[in-house]
Amino acid sequence: MVGSNLFQRRKHSWPPEEYISRATLQLFDFDSAAPPEHAWRRRLDSHANILKEFSVTFREAIKMVRLGIRLWSYIREEAAYGRKAPIDPFTRESCKPSASQGVPLGGMGSGSISRGFRGEFRQWQIIPGIREASPVMANQFSIFISRDGGNKKYASVLAPGQHEGLGKQDDYGISSWGWNLSGQNSTYHALFPRAWTIYDGEPDPDLKVSCRQISPFIPHNYKDSSLPTAVFVYTLVNTGRERAKVSLLFTWANSVGGISHLSGDHVNEPFTGEDGVSGVLLHHKTAKGNPPVTFAIAACETQNVNVTVLPSFGLSQGSCITAKDMWRTMVRDGQFDRGNFCSGPTMPSSVGETLCAAVSASAWVEPHGKCTVAFAVAWSSPQVKFLKGSLYYRRYTKYYGTSERAAHQLVHDALKNYKQWEEEIEKWQNPILHDERLPEWYKFTLFNELYFLVAGGTVWIDSQSPDEHTVNLPRTTRKLEEKNMRVKGRKVDYTERVEHSATFGSNQSDRAVLAGLPCKDELASTEDGNLASTEDGNPMDFFHSVSFLDPQNEEDDVGRFLYLEGVEYIMWCTYDVHFYASFALLELFPKIELSIQRDFAKAVLSEDGRKVRFLAEGHWGIRKVRGAVPHDLGTHDPWNEMNAYNIHDTSKWKDLNPKFVLQVYRDFSATGDLAFGVDVWPSVRAAMEYMEQFDRDNDGLIENDGFPDQTYDTWTVHGISAYCGCLWLAALQAAAEMAVQIGDKDFAEWCKATFLKAKPVFEAKLWNGSYFNYDSGASSNSKSIQADQLAGQWYTASSGLPPLFDDGKIRSSLQKIYDFNVMKVRGGRMGAVNGMHPNGKVDETCMQSREIWTGVTYGVAANMILAGMEEQAFTTAEGIFLAGWSEEGYGYWFQTPEAWTIDGHFRSLIYMRPLSIWGMQWALSLPKAIMEAPHINMMDRICSSPMISWPSSNGSGVRIVAHRAGCFGGQM
C-alpha cells in the first residue's frame, strides 16, 4: 500500500554515530551489543523536564460544575470503602510526571516495572490498578574497576546522580554511594522491547560498556510473552593497556514501589541454582491483603565470571550491614563473601526498616579484550486479587506453577533463553526496520508505542473462574461448577455445542440450538424488571453462563486479558478506546484479541440490574443493559461488575455497538476463524438490533440525543452525526457480509435494506461539498470539521469491504482534515486537532473539541494510507512524534497521553488509544486473507427483497434483543 512517493519525503535521521563514536560502535559489533540503526535516543545527561498538565477554561468549568460536585462526592464514597474511583481528576500524585521514561520490563499481564532512560526503576504496577510512579533509588547497577598495579580505580553507580535526596552528608544509605557518572558520554537507545545504554568511557576512559535490556515480548508467543522477567546483558571492552578487574553490582530493595519497603515482615534469601545462575530471592509481604510477591535478582556465573551475593543490607545506621558498608566492601574487594550463599533466609524486617539485597558479578578483562556478564530480575505474584474479592491465577502460572518461589526458575530460564528471544524479536522487527520506504521516525515509534501493552496495567490470567473457592480446582472441575450455576426459579439450560461447518442452518431454530441460550422471558426476573439473582441473593448477570462463547480448542485458549484505558482512567478494556488500540493486538497477538472480543460478546447478552447513578446528569439507571455493549469490563471486579464508567449512561451511547460489530467482522475476516464468527454471531446480531431504538424517524440512521453519547464524552452531538452515523453505516455493511458468511440470509437482507435507505440520508444531511459536517443540528459547531469523521470508513477499508462513499468524497474529506485540522495547527507539528471551524479556527466548544488526540491522529493517518494519501498520512502522524517523542517536543515518550492541547499540555498519560499507530501498519500491509477477499460489493451479493422493517418494540429495545437475539427460535 506504500506508494513510491514516500521516497521523496524528508527523512529524519538519528544515526547512532551522532551519539556514539564510530570506534566504539565497531568495538560493540558482536553479540547484539551495539545499539540498532533505528532507535529512539537520548543522552543520559538530558534534562527530564516536568510535564505540564491541561486545565479547563473558566467557561468549561462552569458547564461541568454539577458533574464536578457529583464526581467529588462519588470519589469520597469509594474512598470510604477503601477503593479508588476509576476517574479522579482531583487527586495529584506526589511524584510529578517528568520526561524521564524508558522501555518497561517484563512480558504482558504479570505486573510491570518501568525503567527510565537514565537507569532508574519506576512506575511500579505489580498490584492491578495500583501504580507507584516514584523511582526506588536503591535499585541500581553500579561498576567497580581496578587495573593491574592498582594505580587506577573507579567506582560509580551507572546512573547520573540527579535525583532529589542524594548527596546527603554522613548518610549510611544510598547517598554514601559513588554517584560519579555525569552522563555526558553515555547514551540510551530504545527499540521496544529492548533498550541499550552505552557508557562510552564513563567512568573509566579505557573501558567501553554496553548494557542491553531484554524483555520477552514476542508476537505470537503466548508463553514467553507472559513472563515477568527481564535480562540485562553487559558487554565490557577494555581499550587500555592493562588488565582490568571489573565488578558489576545489581542492588534491589524489597519493595513494590512507594513506601511498601517500610511495611515490615519482608525476608531475603540467597540461592544457587543450575547452570551457574545464582542470586537472592526477596519475599515481599504486601499490605491490605494483596497477594505476596517474590523478586529474584541473579547473575550467571561462567568460567570467567564470578558471582557473589549480599543477601541483606539496610539504608539506615541501625542496620547490621548498611548501604555504606556494602559499598566499601565492593570498592575494596569487588565481591562479597561466598559464604553468604549458605546464610539462609534473613530475619523478617521490622516496620520502618528497608531490606535490600545485592548481586555482584566480577571478571578480568584483558587488554583489548571483551567480556559478557548477564543479570536478570523476575517477580512472581501468581495470584491476582481485585478489590471486590475475585481471585485469579496469572497466565505464567500455567507453565511455572502457583508458588511465589517460581521467581527462581524464571530468572534461570531468562538467563538461558534470552538469546533465542532476541532472535525471535529481530525476525519480527527487521522487515519493518529494513523497509526503506518508511520514514525512520515511524519505524522505531511503531515499536516503542507498544510499551503500553506492558506498562498499561495489563492483567493476563489463566484461570477460568473468578471464585476464590474454585480458583485452585482443575479446569474441568471449574466448568462443571459453572454448569451448576442457577438462576432463581429456574436452572440455566445448557445445550450441547454443535460442530461448526461452513454452512450451518440460517433459520432461527438452528441458531437457537447453537446459542443454547434461554430467552429473557424464560429467565426469572425480579418484580422491578431487573435481572434475576442467584440463590444467595447476589446479582447474576449471566456473563459466566454463556460458555458456548469460550474457545473450545485448547490451542485457542490463551486465558483472558485485561488492559487499562490508562493509568489515570482505571477501567479495564475500555471498548470505545480498544476500537483504536486493537490493531496492535490483532497484528501481534490475535488470539488475545479474539479472547477480548469473546468477553464482550458474552457481555452483550448479559444484564446487570444493580442501580447506578450517572454523574453527568445525576439520574439513576441500571449498570448493564442487555443488548448494549459495555463501556468497559469493570474496575474492582472485572467481568463480573462491568461499566465502571459512570459519567454517562453508556447504554445510550451510539458508537459502542457499531464498534463491536466492526471489530468482530475485521477480526473474523483477518483470521478466517469461522468458529469464532459462529460463536459471536448471536451477540453481533443482538448489538445491531439494539440500535433500532435510536432510529426515531425510520430513515435507517441512528440519531444522537443532544448529549456527549460517544467516545468524545464532553462533546455534545445533535441529530445525525458524522462520527456515529459513519460507524453505523459501516456496521450495517460489515454485519451484512458476516451474515452472508455465517448463513443468516434474512438478517443480511435486513442490513442491506437499512444501509440502502440510510446512506443517502446521511449524505444529504451532512455532506457539504468538501467534507461531512460534525452533525445535523443547528449549534455553533454543527459545521465543524471533525478529524474522526470517517472512522467507519477506516474500518471498512481495513476489513476489505467496499468503500462507504465514492472515492471523491473520501479523499476530499481527508484532504480537508489534513489542510485544516493538521496543517493549521503549528504547521502540522502537533497532530490533528479534533475540531476545526471552516474558517480555520480551532473549535473551542468544549475541552475535547480543542484537544489533539494522539490515537485519533494515528487512526486518521491510517485512513489516509488506505485512501492512497501516503504523503499526508505520514505528515499527519509525524506531528505526534514531533510533539511527543522528539527532543524538541514536550517529553511524552513511553507515556503517550490521550491528548494534548495546542500548547502541549497533556491529559491522561500512559493511555491505550495511541496503540492505533498499528492501524497504520495494518493499512500498509493488509493481511493476505483480506487482500485476497473477492472485492464484490456486498450489497450486490445479497438478493433483493422487500424492505424489511423493524418489529414493534413496544417501547423496549431490550425486549426486542431478548426475543430476536437471546432466543432465535422465538416468534415475533
Side-chain angles (χ1 to χ4, degrees):
M1 293 292 294
V2 184
S4 60
N5 61 335
L6 283 188
F7 287 107
Q8 310 303 321
R9 276 191 52 76
R10 176 174 59 91
K11 181 180 178 181
H12 287 290
S13 180
W14 296 267
E17 292 86 353
E18 291 185 6
Y19 293 78
I20 310 168
S21 68
R22 288 184 179 274
T24 299
L25 285 172
Q26 290 174 355
L27 291 172
F28 287 136
D29 190 21
F30 73 100
D31 195 29
S32 301
E37 180 182 355
H38 306 291
W40 179 89
R41 311 185 199 278
R42 284 295 178 277
R43 300 187 188 281
L44 264 59
D45 63 350
S46 298
H47 176 62
N49 57 289
I50 300 298
L51 307 180
K52 296 179 180 180
E53 191 168 4
F54 89 108
S55 58
V56 297
T57 66
F58 178 75
R59 185 177 68 175
E60 291 165 352
I62 293 297
K63 287 182 178 179
M64 294 190 290
V65 65
R66 290 186 178 87
L67 167 61
I69 292 171
R70 295 186 193 108
L71 182 57
W72 170 255
S73 177
Y74 171 69
I75 291 167
R76 294 186 65 183
E77 289 173 8
E78 287 294 284
Y81 289 102
R83 299 191 295 260
K84 182 176 175 60
I87 300 175
D88 180 3
F90 303 108
T91 304
R92 293 291 180 267
E93 294 181 356
S94 57
C95 178
K96 294 182 179 180
S98 63
S100 56
Q101 300 298 330
V103 174
L105 309 179
M108 299 187 296
S110 296
S112 69
I113 306 165
S114 291
R115 192 173 187 224
F117 73 88
R118 295 185 303 193
E120 68 276 14
F121 294 86
R122 58 193 311 136
Q123 296 286 353
W124 297 71
Q125 295 186 86
I126 305 298
I127 300 169
I130 298 176
R131 177 177 65 109
E132 297 289 353
S134 299
V136 177
M137 292 303 290
N139 297 0
Q140 298 289 346
F141 284 101
S142 303
I143 194 166
F144 304 83
I145 307 160
S146 62
R147 294 186 176 270
D148 278 353
N151 296 324
K152 297 179 182 179
K153 283 195 172 185
Y154 304 89
S156 180
V157 178
L158 287 173
Q162 300 175 7
H163 188 266
E164 59 185 44
L166 297 179
K168 297 178 183 177
Q169 296 295 322
D170 300 321
D171 183 54
Y172 288 85
I174 62 173
S175 291
S176 63
W177 297 353
W179 297 86
N180 302 317
L181 196 80
S182 71
Q184 186 176 2
N185 296 322
S186 301
T187 52
Y188 181 83
H189 311 257
L191 186 65
F192 179 90
R194 296 189 293 174
W196 291 254
T197 306
I198 305 299
Y199 306 91
D200 194 357
E202 285 192 279
D204 182 348
D206 292 328
L207 186 72
K208 312 298 182 181
V209 180
S210 166
C211 172
R212 188 164 83 258
Q213 173 186 314
I214 307 149
S215 290
F217 183 97
I218 305 165
H220 307 285
N221 183 329
Y222 296 91
K223 176 187 175 183
D224 292 345
S225 296
S226 73
L227 303 184
T229 185
V231 177
F232 304 90
V233 181
Y234 280 85
T235 302
L236 312 172
V237 180
N238 183 4
T239 59
R241 298 180 180 178
E242 301 164 317
R243 189 171 69 144
K245 182 183 180 182
V246 181
S247 297
L248 289 161
L249 177 71
F250 190 15
T251 53
W252 199 262
N254 197 323
S255 169
V256 292
I259 59 171
S260 61
H261 54 287
L262 302 175
S263 58
D265 243 5
H266 312 313
V267 174
N268 292 355
E269 178 185 1
F271 70 87
T272 56
E274 298 176 351
D275 302 311
V277 175
S278 304
V280 180
L281 297 175
L282 298 90
H283 306 291
H284 186 85
K285 183 177 181 181
T286 55
K288 298 180 181 179
N290 287 305
V293 184
T294 292
F295 293 92
I297 57 171
C300 189
E301 190 163 80
T302 66
Q303 186 175 359
N304 190 40
V305 177
N306 179 48
V307 176
T308 56
V309 301
L310 182 63
S312 173
F313 68 89
L315 303 183
S316 59
Q317 186 174 1
S319 303
C320 183
I321 300 176
T322 68
K324 188 174 186 177
D325 297 331
M326 183 275 299
W327 190 265
R328 285 176 174 170
T329 298
M330 287 300 299
V331 170
R332 183 185 66 240
D333 303 329
Q335 62 186 30
F336 301 115
D337 188 337
R338 290 196 66 85
N340 289 341
F341 282 117
C342 303
S343 61
T346 64
M347 293 293 293
S349 63
S350 303
V351 174
E353 177 188 8
T354 302
L355 191 62
C356 303
V359 175
S360 168
S362 306
W364 284 96
V365 187
E366 299 298 324
H368 307 290
K370 302 175 181 179
C371 180
T372 298
V373 179
F375 292 87
V377 62
W379 51 99
S380 180
S381 181
Q383 292 183 340
V384 176
K385 184 179 181 182
F386 293 101
L387 276 179
K388 291 194 175 179
S390 292
L391 193 68
Y392 304 87
Y393 281 132
R394 296 190 191 266
R395 167 72 175 175
Y396 78 89
T397 63
K398 181 181 179 74
Y399 312 103
Y400 284 86
T402 57
S403 168
E404 294 83 24
R405 298 184 68 87
H408 180 178
Q409 191 64 40
L410 283 162
V411 286
H412 170 273
D413 290 357
L415 287 167
K416 304 318 296 182
N417 296 333
Y418 74 84
K419 291 184 179 180
Q420 180 183 342
W421 293 347
E422 288 193 284
E423 289 177 4
E424 293 183 51
I425 291 168
E426 290 172 3
K427 183 179 179 181
W428 157 47
Q429 293 183 336
N430 281 343
I432 294 172
L433 296 175
H434 296 161
D435 190 340
E436 293 297 327
R437 300 169 298 173
L438 301 174
E440 184 176 359
W441 68 264
Y442 169 80
K443 295 177 183 180
F444 58 76
T445 306
L446 177 72
F447 294 112
N448 285 337
E449 287 284 17
L450 290 171
Y451 83 93
F452 186 84
L453 289 175
V454 172
T458 52
V459 172
W460 192 356
I461 67 165
D462 184 56
S463 172
Q464 297 292 302
S465 172
D467 299 317
E468 189 168 350
H469 72 279
T470 63
V471 78
N472 292 311
L473 297 175
R475 182 170 300 178
T476 53
T477 307
R478 291 198 301 264
K479 287 191 173 181
L480 286 173
E481 291 212 2
E482 288 178 8
K483 287 201 173 189
N484 287 326
M485 294 171 68
R486 291 176 178 267
V487 175
K488 184 183 293 184
R490 183 191 187 280
K491 186 172 181 179
V492 176
D493 178 26
Y494 287 86
T495 304
E496 194 69 32
R497 190 175 189 275
V498 299
E499 292 297 319
H500 299 303
S501 61
T503 58
F504 88 107
S506 61
N507 60 60
Q508 292 183 351
S509 60
D510 283 347
R511 289 193 297 276
V513 171
L514 174 69
L517 193 65
C519 296
K520 184 178 181 183
D521 289 345
E522 293 176 320
L523 294 174
S525 299
T526 57
E527 292 182 2
D528 61 0
N530 291 338
L531 191 70
S533 300
T534 54
E535 292 178 347
D536 61 2
N538 293 323
M540 166 61 181
D541 68 0
F542 202 50
F543 186 84
H544 294 285
S545 63
V546 282
S547 58
F548 69 93
L549 279 167
D550 292 330
Q552 303 299 307
N553 186 338
E554 187 70 24
E555 287 187 6
D556 293 332
D557 183 4
V558 294
R560 298 166 84 178
F561 189 86
L562 298 169
Y563 64 147
L564 291 174
E565 178 178 336
V567 297
E568 298 175 35
Y569 296 164
I570 309 172
M571 294 164 283
W572 300 109
C573 294
T574 299
Y575 201 72
D576 56 305
V577 185
H578 181 68
F579 174 79
Y580 299 83
S582 58
F583 283 93
L585 285 173
L586 180 59
E587 178 77 25
L588 305 176
F589 297 95
K591 292 181 181 180
I592 290 179
E593 166 63 9
L594 295 188
S595 171
I596 292 174
Q597 299 300 352
R598 286 179 182 274
D599 280 344
F600 276 91
K602 292 180 185 180
V604 170
L605 301 177
S606 71
E607 185 166 302
D608 186 341
R610 286 172 286 186
K611 298 294 185 181
V612 174
R613 191 185 191 196
F614 300 110
L615 303 178
E617 299 83 12
H619 67 251
W620 292 80
I622 68 171
R623 179 172 291 279
K624 168 67 178 70
V625 175
R626 190 188 307 275
V629 174
H631 172 274
D632 55 80
L633 292 178
T635 291
H636 300 307
D637 195 8
W639 299 297
N640 301 311
E641 187 178 272
M642 294 172 283
N643 280 334
Y645 177 91
N646 61 348
I647 304 298
H648 299 287
D649 182 355
T650 58
S651 70
K652 298 178 181 178
W653 276 20
K654 310 307 183 295
D655 62 336
L656 287 168
N657 282 39
K659 285 176 174 176
F660 170 71
V661 175
L662 288 170
Q663 288 182 73
V664 164
Y665 179 75
R666 178 205 57 189
D667 298 352
F668 172 61
S669 176
T671 63
D673 190 333
L674 182 61
F676 165 76
V678 171
D679 286 348
V680 301
W681 177 247
S683 301
V684 170
R685 180 162 173 165
M688 292 297 291
E689 291 173 344
Y690 180 85
M691 298 301 290
E692 176 268 343
Q693 61 187 300
F694 304 122
D695 178 15
R696 297 184 175 86
D697 54 5
N698 198 33
D699 62 357
L701 273 177
I702 58 173
E703 286 89 36
N704 293 86
D705 284 328
F707 75 99
D709 49 358
Q710 25 73 47
T711 193
Y712 299 90
D713 59 352
T714 69
W715 199 357
T716 298
V717 196
H718 299 275
I720 298 169
S721 73
Y723 183 68
C724 295
C726 187
L727 288 170
W728 173 242
L729 291 176
L732 284 167
Q733 185 169 237
E737 177 63 30
M738 190 170 180
V740 169
Q741 297 187 45
I742 294 297
D744 194 343
K745 181 179 177 182
D746 292 343
F747 193 71
E749 290 183 345
W750 178 84
C751 290
K752 172 190 176 181
T754 306
F755 178 90
L756 294 177
K757 184 162 73 168
K759 178 182 173 182
V761 177
F762 180 87
E763 293 184 318
K765 292 194 174 183
L766 296 181
W767 180 250
N768 62 23
S770 59
Y771 65 95
F772 293 97
N773 290 335
Y774 176 68
D775 65 29
S776 63
S779 64
S780 61
N781 70 318
S782 289
K783 290 182 170 56
S784 284
I785 308 161
Q786 184 180 11
D788 216 2
Q789 62 184 264
L790 290 180
Q793 170 57 30
W794 172 31
Y795 257 72
T796 294
S798 295
S799 304
L801 292 168
L804 296 176
F805 316 107
D806 64 68
D807 289 345
K809 285 187 174 70
I810 295 170
R811 291 178 65 91
S812 175
S813 298
L814 292 172
Q815 188 65 46
K816 192 75 172 184
I817 293 165
Y818 176 77
D819 291 339
F820 280 69
N821 301 59
V822 178
M823 297 309 294
K824 288 187 181 296
V825 179
R826 303 288 175 90
R829 298 177 63 85
M830 295 286 291
V833 69
N834 283 337
M836 179 72 78
H837 289 296
N839 64 4
K841 294 184 178 180
V842 172
D843 183 347
E844 297 186 349
T845 302
C846 67
M847 174 182 76
Q848 292 174 343
S849 63
R850 63 182 173 90
E851 287 180 329
I852 294 157
W853 284 13
T854 53
V856 167
T857 298
Y858 287 142
V860 170
N863 214 348
M864 290 174 174
I865 292 170
L866 291 162
M869 302 169 64
E870 294 95 344
E871 182 78 16
Q872 295 93 325
F874 282 99
T875 299
T876 297
E878 186 180 30
I880 301 302
F881 168 77
L882 293 172
W885 288 82
S886 73
E887 274 193 278
E888 298 76 27
Y890 297 104
Y892 298 129
W893 45 82
F894 299 103
Q895 52 188 334
T896 315
E898 156 76 315
W900 52 64
T901 58
I902 59 175
D903 56 2
H905 292 196
F906 75 89
R907 180 171 63 82
S908 188
L909 292 172
I910 312 181
Y911 196 79
M912 181 198 294
R913 205 182 315 250
L915 285 170
S916 60
I917 192 173
W918 281 85
M920 295 179 66
Q921 189 60 26
W922 186 268
L924 290 166
S925 53
L926 287 172
K928 185 178 180 181
I930 289 178
M931 291 291 289
E932 294 182 355
H935 290 276
I936 302 172
N937 193 311
M938 171 273 307
M939 297 307 172
D940 297 333
R941 293 175 57 185
I942 304 171
C943 298
S944 297
S945 65
M947 187 67 72
I948 299 173
S949 301
W950 286 104
S952 173
S953 67
N954 297 320
S956 172
V958 177
R959 181 66 62 182
I960 290 173
V961 172
H963 278 296
R964 299 187 65 191
C967 51
F968 291 115
Q971 297 298 315
M972 300 305 295

